[in-house]
């Protein structure tokens, strides 16, 4: 993912190398300061050294700015691309992914995990590269100044590296469980906030708070366990560093006293060592961030690695506009958990036909109509439009021919206008108004303070159930697609509006192929054909008039509703 930004990265690296060299020069300058100015008392050096020092800091400053900013830019660009990619990817995943993965967890991946990856990318790019480079240059200075002292220092190095590695490993493990707990917490928060009405109605506030507290406590404990190690790292490194410095002063000091080295060399060595010590210590904190980032990116990439099983086939063609029929051949379907919901269903729907689907709850009606826009693929058999198997055409060409009102009304926290014109750019106002009118939504929209510009809240929370349904009908009407799927589209309307909307829908259905699912049988009396689905199969088929005398499932459902209505009246 860094590849597109290699150009910037190269410039940044160049600046970084310059910074490292300048850092080395800073340490080196100590030698002439002490030897030439203090010991040998050379007058001309008094001007030269400060000037050189100023030059060094100036170049270092400019390059420092260049590389930190460029690296941050690269890091943030990678994160931006990653966020976009994961968003796009999530939306290409089949419905089954969303039925399995809690919403809070998805949110936590896209927000919290990617933030950790961001930390790793920018810190590692900035930190590790710079530290490595600087440490290398300074070690060069150290060796140049006094190789014997350098060797002593090197013997100590493994003792410093070992805790870094050890702590890093522990940190990665902790970080994984921290992020997993954060996902659980996000999910509980999401569920209880969206379901707050039920939480209140069932007086479960205390219960949910306790559940939340348990999770947060777990999070607390894990973070604390992590902090214990984290906080230990720094002092431990300091102590080890102290031992090293002590040894160097003891040995180096004795060399100066015996006249084997100049004081300038010694101090220059000491400064270089002190400076090199910083990046080495820096590795430990960078390593922590890196381990955290690795853990988080594993989680991000595990989402990116889920392949969409419902996707365009290689070389899939475009589905031409429907002309003849939709054919379902021996369609079988099972959800991931195994039980077969549709058990070999065969059905042909002619273009322009209105097919009503009725049957007891849980019979498989919604499952069946969800197969037509390929929200999932059949487990057996096939579905074809005009002889084109749905799996051989592009999803886009298929779905753009389908208008749908789903059983659960799905609206977005946006204006009514944008909800109705969802997916249509630059839709003329008259069309939106006409669709709203046909769906009998115009009256109530006009009464809203801001009319079509009213923002309706999450999932349309500021509207009544029936109003929401009418908006979603208007949306389907506006799409003006040749195939229409209405899954309990009018179930939340009162009898009168239902009657009105029904008329609008009937106008609309005229030259469209329509699947209507309805529990209220009064709404489907004038369908061209009615099929009754029970236990994943078609058990009866015909018109209202032909089914009623059969005294089967349909007549039973019909009579039950009929008697209920008279009883109420
Ligand atoms: N995502 C899912 N995973 C597993 N099983 C599911 C899933 N969705 C539905 N089912 C099961 O599939 C069966 C058919 O469900 P479906 O929603 O198609 O019924 P339906 O006929 O539309 O019922 P209703 O009239 O109540 O809407 C049910 O037994 C249901 O439990
Ligand atoms: Mg259903």
């Amino acid at each position: 993912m860094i590849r597109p930004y290699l150009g910037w990265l190269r410039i940044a690296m160049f600046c970084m190398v310059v910074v490292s060299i300048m850092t080395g020069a800073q340490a080196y300058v100590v030698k002439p300061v002490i030897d030439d100015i203090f010991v040998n008392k050379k007058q001309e050096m008094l001007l030269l050294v400060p000037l050189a020092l100023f030059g060094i800091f100036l170049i270092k400053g400019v390059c420092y700015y260049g590389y930190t900013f460029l690296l941050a830019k690269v890091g943030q660009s990678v994160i931006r691309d990653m966020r976009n990619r994961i968003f796009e990817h999530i939306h290409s995943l089949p419905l089954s992914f969303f039925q399995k993965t809690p919403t809070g967890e998805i949110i936590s991946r896209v927000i919290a995990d990617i933030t950790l990856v961001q930390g790793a990318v920018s810190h590692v790019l900035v930190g590790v590269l710079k530290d490595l480079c600087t440490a290398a240059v300074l070690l060069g200075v150290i060796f140049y100044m006094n190789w014997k002292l350098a060797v002593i220092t090197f013997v100590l190095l493994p003792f410093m590296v070992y805790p870094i590695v050890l702590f890093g490993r522990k940190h990665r493990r902790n970080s994984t469980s921290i992020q997993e707990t954060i996902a659980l917490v996000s999910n509980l928060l999401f569920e209880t906030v969206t379901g707050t009405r039920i939480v209140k109605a069932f007086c479960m506030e205390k219960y949910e708070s306790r559940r939340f507290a348990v999770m947060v406590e777990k999070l607390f404990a894990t973070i604390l366990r992590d902090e214990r190690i984290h906080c230990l790292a720094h002092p431990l490194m300091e102590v080890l560093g102290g031992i090293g410095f002590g040894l160097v002063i003891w040995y180096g000091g004795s060399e100066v006293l015996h006249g084997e080295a100049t004081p300038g060399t010694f101090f220059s060595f000491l400064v270089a060592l002190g400076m090199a010590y910083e990046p080495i210590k820096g590795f430990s904190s960078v390593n922590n961030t890196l381990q955290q980032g690795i853990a988080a990116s594993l989680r991000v990439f595990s989402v990116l690695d889920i392949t969409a099983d419902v996707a365009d086939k290689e070389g899939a063609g475009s589905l031409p506009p429907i002309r003849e029929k939709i054919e379902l051949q021996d369609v079988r379907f099972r959800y991931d958990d195994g039980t077969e919901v549709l058990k070999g269903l065969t059905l042909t729907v002619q273009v322009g036909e209105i097919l009503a689907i009725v049957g007891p709850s849980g019979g498989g009606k919604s499952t069946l109509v969800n197969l037509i826009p390929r929200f999932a693929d059949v487990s057996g058999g096939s579905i074809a439009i005009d002889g084109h198997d749905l799996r051989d055409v592009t999803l886009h060409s298929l779905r753009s021919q389908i208008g749908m009102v789903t059983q659960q009304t799905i609206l977005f926290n946006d204006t009514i206008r944008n909800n109705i014109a969802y997916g249509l750019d630059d839709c003329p106002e008259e069309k939106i108004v006409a669709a709203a009118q046909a769906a009998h939504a115009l009256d109530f929209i006009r009464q809203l303070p801001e009319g079509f510009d009213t923002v309706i809240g999450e999932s349309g929370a500021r509207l009544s159930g029936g109003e929401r349904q009418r908006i979603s009908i208007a949306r389907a009407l506006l799409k003006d697609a040749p195939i229409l799927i209405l899954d309990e589209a009018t179930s939340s309307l009162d009898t009168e509006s239902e009657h009105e909307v029904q008329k609008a829908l009937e106008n609309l259905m005229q030259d469209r192929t329509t699947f209507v699912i309805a529990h209220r049988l009064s709404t489907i009396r004038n369908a061209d054909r009615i099929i009754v689905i029970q236990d994943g199969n078609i058990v009866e088929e015909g018109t209202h008039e032909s089914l009623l005398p059969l005294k089967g499932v349909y007549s039973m459902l019909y009579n039950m509703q009929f008697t209920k209505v008279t009883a109420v009246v």
Side-chain angles (χ1 to χ4, degrees):
M1 299 197 77
I2 291 177
R3 199 166 298 145
Y5 308 105
L6 277 184
W8 288 346
L9 211 56
R10 279 196 197 103
I11 303 176
M13 298 255 191
F14 173 76
C15 291
M16 201 159 59
V17 171
V18 175
V19 169
S20 303
I21 293 173
M22 290 303 127
T23 312
Q26 258 168 265
Y28 189 85
V29 162
V30 172
K31 184 179 157 67
V33 169
I34 292 186
D35 287 349
D36 294 342
I37 300 178
F38 290 114
V39 181
N40 298 331
K41 308 212 170 10
K42 287 186 190 162
Q43 192 63 37
E44 73 273 16
M45 278 300 187
L46 203 51
L47 196 65
L48 264 175
V49 171
L51 273 181
L53 212 58
F54 173 71
I56 290 172
F57 275 109
L58 187 68
I59 298 174
K60 188 179 169 188
V62 170
C63 290
Y64 183 89
Y65 175 77
Y67 94 83
T68 44
F69 180 72
L70 279 179
L71 285 183
K73 189 167 171 176
V74 172
Q76 295 297 342
S77 308
V78 169
I79 295 306
R80 176 197 56 199
D81 296 351
M82 209 172 202
R83 284 216 164 97
N84 284 333
R85 198 157 119 187
I86 196 165
F87 186 86
E88 204 172 295
H89 185 74
I90 284 174
H91 283 283
S92 76
L93 290 178
L95 278 189
S96 57
F97 169 77
F98 300 93
Q99 286 154 357
K100 277 185 304 221
T101 319
T103 315
E105 184 165 338
I106 301 177
I107 294 174
S108 150
R109 296 238 167 136
V110 180
I111 308 291
D113 285 350
I114 290 196
T115 310
L116 290 187
V117 179
Q118 169 188 337
V121 172
S122 42
H123 269 82
V124 168
L125 284 179
V126 177
V128 168
L129 296 180
K130 186 200 81 179
D131 287 350
L132 269 179
C133 216
T134 312
V137 171
L138 289 170
L139 290 179
V141 174
I142 290 174
F143 269 92
Y144 178 74
M145 291 292 175
N146 189 332
W147 66 268
K148 271 185 272 173
L149 269 182
V151 170
I152 296 187
T153 327
F154 259 69
V155 174
L156 285 171
L157 211 57
F159 291 104
M160 306 188 72
V161 173
Y162 180 70
I164 297 182
V165 174
L166 191 72
F167 289 168
R169 210 176 294 153
K170 279 233 160 75
H171 188 57
R172 184 191 319 188
R173 230 173 292 138
N174 286 338
S175 178
T176 306
S177 65
I178 290 173
Q179 289 305 105
E180 275 163 8
T181 319
I182 287 180
L184 289 178
V185 170
S186 325
N187 201 48
L188 184 70
L189 183 65
F190 180 83
E191 266 190 338
T192 50
V193 169
T194 48
T196 180
R197 209 175 304 202
I198 296 298
V199 175
K200 286 189 202 309
F202 285 77
C203 299
M204 291 295 271
E205 293 94 337
K206 282 260 157 58
Y207 171 81
E208 296 295 353
S209 299
R210 269 201 305 277
R211 220 152 63 106
F212 191 76
V214 168
M215 283 185 194
V216 174
E217 182 64 34
K218 190 178 160 212
L219 188 61
F220 170 78
T222 323
I223 292 179
L224 221 57
R225 197 169 351 125
D226 197 46
E227 286 295 337
R228 198 167 292 149
I229 303 172
H230 190 119
C231 297
L232 193 62
H234 182 80
L236 194 67
M237 299 284 295
E238 294 256 279
V239 171
L240 289 173
I243 298 174
F245 276 113
L247 281 176
V248 165
I249 292 175
W250 171 72
Y251 183 81
S254 74
E255 270 199 331
V256 175
L257 288 183
H258 292 112
E260 285 161 30
T262 67
T265 313
F266 174 71
F267 278 107
S268 177
F269 180 92
L270 213 57
V271 169
L273 188 65
M275 285 172 138
Y277 179 64
E278 280 309 312
I280 293 178
K281 240 175 27 180
F283 284 144
S284 107
S285 93
V286 165
N287 191 40
N288 273 340
T289 322
L290 178 64
Q291 297 303 335
Q292 221 172 29
I294 291 177
S297 62
L298 285 179
R299 292 160 52 76
V300 172
F301 280 104
S302 78
V303 176
L304 286 176
D305 284 344
I306 303 172
T307 47
D309 45 5
V310 179
D312 287 347
K313 227 188 204 173
E314 193 89 28
S318 181
L319 177 70
I322 178 170
R323 282 206 324 268
E324 285 172 31
K325 56 183 186 275
I326 303 176
E327 279 177 296
L328 289 83
Q329 263 303 326
D330 190 32
V331 167
R332 293 173 180 279
F333 185 78
R334 60 174 78 239
Y335 285 102
D336 286 346
D337 56 2
T339 48
E340 201 160 57
V341 178
L342 298 178
K343 301 166 184 161
L345 208 133
T346 299
L347 174 73
T348 303
V349 186
Q350 298 300 329
V351 81
E353 189 179 5
I354 300 173
L355 179 79
I357 306 173
V358 301
S361 181
K365 304 180 294 295
S366 297
T367 305
L368 175 67
V369 295
N370 280 337
L371 293 179
I372 294 170
R374 271 188 82 193
F375 289 152
D377 274 333
V378 292
S379 319
S382 68
I383 303 180
I385 292 182
D386 295 344
H388 299 279
D389 191 301
L390 297 190
R391 285 165 292 189
D392 296 335
V393 298
T394 60
L395 287 170
H396 184 264
S397 66
L398 170 68
R399 290 179 185 165
S400 59
Q401 293 196 37
I402 299 174
M404 195 164 192
V405 179
T406 48
Q407 194 164 11
Q408 280 105 19
T409 317
I410 297 165
L411 297 174
F412 300 101
N413 185 16
D414 201 341
T415 59
I416 291 191
R417 174 180 293 104
N418 289 343
N419 268 290
I420 295 180
Y422 189 67
L424 307 170
D425 303 326
D426 301 323
C427 186
E429 184 77 14
E430 315 87 74
K431 279 191 160 182
I432 298 177
V433 174
Q437 183 157 32
H440 282 259
L442 200 54
D443 288 345
F444 87 82
I445 294 174
R446 287 264 154 88
Q447 275 166 20
L448 290 170
E450 287 166 83
F452 278 92
D453 293 314
T454 313
V455 175
I456 56 174
E458 193 177 15
S459 319
R462 280 179 228 150
L463 301 177
S464 79
E467 287 165 348
R468 270 179 247 166
Q469 227 169 28
R470 278 178 274 179
I471 302 273
S472 73
I473 292 170
R475 176 171 64 192
L477 297 187
L478 189 61
K479 188 173 177 189
D480 199 21
I483 301 169
L484 197 61
I485 296 173
L486 306 170
D487 192 350
E488 295 284 346
T490 54
S491 60
S492 312
L493 304 187
D494 60 275
T495 325
E496 196 188 323
S497 348
E498 180 172 26
H499 192 67
E500 298 287 332
V501 174
Q502 201 61 42
K503 274 195 287 186
L505 285 176
E506 272 158 27
N507 288 338
L508 183 90
M509 288 179 206
Q510 235 140 51
D511 30 44
R512 264 163 247 269
T513 316
T514 314
F515 296 80
V516 200
I517 300 178
H519 278 297
R520 276 194 247 171
L521 301 182
S522 55
T523 58
I524 52 149
R525 281 174 76 158
N526 34 20
D528 296 318
R529 187 156 47 123
I530 298 169
I531 60 172
V532 182
I533 291 189
Q534 191 173 27
D535 292 333
N537 238 320
I538 301 178
V539 289
E540 285 169 29
E541 188 172 348
T543 57
H544 175 69
E545 285 72 24
S546 71
L547 286 176
L548 214 48
L550 287 182
K551 301 258 175 273
V553 184
Y554 183 80
S555 87
M556 188 189 72
L557 290 172
Y558 186 81
N559 287 329
M560 263 171 15
Q561 288 191 5
F562 183 69
T563 32
K564 235 190 258 165
V565 170
T566 44
V568 170
V569 169

